[in-house]
Amino acid sequence: MPELASRVSNTRPSVTMALIRRAAELRAEGKQVTSLIAGEPDFNTPEHIRAAGIEAIKRGDTRYTAGDGTNELRAALVDKLRRENGLEYASSEVVAANGTKPLLQAAFLALADPGDEVIVPAPYWVSYPDIVRLCGAVPVPVVCTQENGFLLQPEDLEAAITERTRAVLINTPNNPTGAVYDAELLRKLHDVLQRHPAVTVVTDEIYEHLTYDGLTAPSPASVGEDAKARTIVINGFSKGYVMMGWRLGFAAGPANLIKGMSSVLSHLAGSPNSISQAAAVEALRGDNSYQASNRDSYVDRRDLALSMVNQMPGLEAVRTSGSFFVFANCAGTLGRKTPAGETINSDEDFSRLAIDEAGVLVVPGSGFGLSPFLRMSYSVDLEDLRGALERLRKFCNRLS
Ligand code: PLP
């Protein structure tokens, strides 16, 4: 059998794959299994955005576009960044691509030579370490504790920086914790970086529009001109604009870095999807009132999830105000036994047993670089969520 290159064999299989397989087996046996692992909105793309895509096809917008995106899209992105983020960019400082993922990859390929380090605050979105590794760089996880609201602390950032550090990745609002950085903390992190000019900030702001409790998520680039000059802002249309399958994201940053990323992307992906770009212009310029009603719906579900999880013996979830995840600490269940005599020794045990005994799929924190925790997505129907959490509560009640 031909051997895989080490860059591929060194990537980790997804933690959720085995869980999804087990859930499918149980469903095939006729058992009820509710998945709380969704990483995407449970809404449809708004009608007017879909219509703009259909119009683009009818118009014949089906050719390659400029590698960094159409002029219309880049102009709409420049306006969006000014209007919503207070960030002033020229259109040459903005690039669109087929999703946030390839933009992250392009950023690390543009910034890091083999063996260079990228600081990845943990808990992190599962793909970050593997994207960094695929680029030949070394992910350096830095733990952000529950006590610190799962947010990177300036002294921990300082301690993690070495002469090989080329980037620090900030994801706000965060997947898997829902944590949101405020401007004051971002400024303090920036103060640390002032002493380390070789370190670029790469942000993932894809959950920007999913913040609650009156909070907004300031971009790390927005805390000052010098912060902006060292930051690559990455964002996308999958969450706030409910355009997951359209595969479109964008980045903004210093012209030389954006040029480097555009060059990488032109070789890897050619140009972003022409139809999605036309739809995205409508998403940026058209009616966005659906975002407020989607937010309201997430708030109801988050509040339900938080109150039910915090009534489960052994589980504790702190309130966070972004994305659509609850990150519950399950330390209180460790060492306890199910009625069948199985001992829970880790978050992985908890999630395996929760499928079998409660018919609920949750992701263990180990996959996000922080244990013992469980990520529960509340991007599911409210009544399904209630039912699943009720079964999980009974499961926890039965532990001895
Ligand atoms: N970044 C984070 C933090 C995510 O949770 C996800 C999707 O789950 C993505 C990026 C993927 O974005 P895209 O669909 O634009 O590739």
Side-chain angles (χ1 to χ4, degrees):
M1 196 168 55
E3 262 183 44
L4 282 171
S6 57
R7 88 172 67 81
V8 174
S9 54
N10 286 344
T11 58
R12 298 165 316 160
S14 159
V15 280
T16 51
M17 276 311 167
L19 302 175
I20 292 170
R21 239 191 330 266
R22 180 71 188 135
E25 283 167 14
L26 290 173
R27 284 196 187 107
E29 290 167 17
K31 304 227 169 77
Q32 183 186 18
V33 183
T34 307
S35 168
L36 300 185
I37 68 170
E40 61 177 330
D42 62 336
F43 304 107
N44 287 327
T45 308
E47 189 59 45
H48 63 293
I49 299 176
R50 284 189 267 165
I54 292 168
E55 271 314 304
I57 295 175
K58 286 189 182 154
R59 226 177 19 243
D61 277 4
T62 53
R63 296 172 178 271
Y64 292 141
T65 72
D68 52 359
T70 61
N71 288 342
E72 293 76 18
L73 177 59
R74 279 181 303 118
L77 288 168
V78 166
D79 288 348
K80 176 257 181 279
L81 287 158
R82 180 187 304 123
R83 186 178 68 239
E84 295 189 346
N85 309 98
L87 293 168
E88 201 64 55
Y89 289 103
S91 68
S92 57
E93 295 172 315
V94 171
V95 57
N98 45 335
T100 305
K101 280 186 178 184
L103 286 157
L104 289 162
Q105 188 188 4
F108 299 130
L109 284 171
L111 284 169
D113 279 319
D116 282 345
E117 296 172 0
V118 175
I119 293 175
V120 182
Y124 43 69
W125 178 44
V126 281
S127 287
Y128 292 149
D130 285 322
I131 294 175
V132 170
R133 269 187 223 108
L134 281 170
C135 294
V138 180
V140 177
V142 176
V143 167
C144 306
T145 62
Q146 177 176 313
E147 292 68 40
N148 287 326
F150 303 114
L151 296 164
L152 180 63
Q153 300 302 299
E155 57 279 15
D156 296 332
L157 172 62
E158 178 79 68
I161 294 173
T162 72
E163 60 198 16
R164 298 294 314 252
T165 308
R166 295 290 286 133
V168 54
L169 178 48
I170 301 288
N171 173 212
T172 177
N174 181 273
N175 173 4
T177 65
V180 180
Y181 286 76
D182 66 19
E184 192 189 339
L185 179 54
L186 291 173
R187 224 168 271 122
K188 286 185 183 154
L189 293 170
H190 175 64
D191 289 344
V192 170
L193 295 178
Q194 296 281 53
R195 297 190 280 279
H196 303 279
V199 182
T200 295
V201 179
V202 176
T203 73
D204 180 346
E205 305 180 17
I206 195 157
Y207 292 96
E208 172 189 14
H209 294 109
L210 306 189
T211 57
Y212 321 116
D213 310 323
L215 242 67
T216 55
S219 169
S222 69
V223 297
E225 268 311 305
D226 41 359
K228 178 173 169 258
R230 68 178 320 150
T231 302
I232 301 175
V233 171
I234 298 182
N235 203 331
F237 290 87
S238 295
K239 317 292 175 179
Y241 304 93
V242 205
M243 294 177 68
M244 304 72 88
W246 299 76
R247 310 304 307 128
L248 200 67
F250 60 94
N256 68 322
L257 291 178
I258 294 298
K259 196 164 164 221
M261 287 171 64
S262 300
S263 165
V264 167
L265 288 162
S266 75
H267 296 300
L268 289 182
S271 66
N273 178 309
S274 57
I275 299 149
S276 303
Q277 291 185 73
V281 171
E282 173 62 22
L284 292 170
R285 299 226 188 264
D287 172 33
N288 65 359
S289 52
Y290 63 90
Q291 290 181 333
S293 68
N294 291 358
R295 264 195 298 275
D296 289 346
S297 165
Y298 286 128
V299 168
D300 290 345
R301 294 183 269 175
R302 181 209 52 180
D303 290 349
L304 176 79
L306 277 179
S307 86
M308 289 186 76
V309 167
N310 283 318
Q311 287 166 32
M312 297 179 196
L315 258 55
E316 179 203 11
V318 293
R319 179 193 178 96
T320 52
S321 302
S323 72
F324 39 60
F325 305 105
V326 164
F327 201 56
N329 189 329
C330 63
T333 65
L334 300 188
R336 299 178 65 190
K337 279 192 169 58
T338 67
E342 293 234 40
T343 307
I344 298 178
N345 288 315
S346 65
D347 47 15
E348 294 183 359
D349 287 346
F350 186 109
S351 76
R352 184 173 47 80
L353 292 165
I355 301 179
D356 283 358
E357 302 203 8
V360 180
L361 207 50
V362 296
V363 191
S366 58
F368 308 102
L370 192 67
S371 289
F373 285 87
L374 304 163
R375 191 192 75 172
M376 303 177 192
S377 166
Y378 50 87
S379 183
V380 286
D381 173 81
L382 186 74
E383 289 316 313
D384 290 348
L385 180 65
R386 195 192 306 278
L389 293 174
E390 187 50 39
R391 296 202 301 281
L392 213 50
R393 190 178 63 76
K394 287 186 185 143
F395 169 75
C396 291
N397 276 339
R398 285 197 301 264
L399 298 175
S400 54

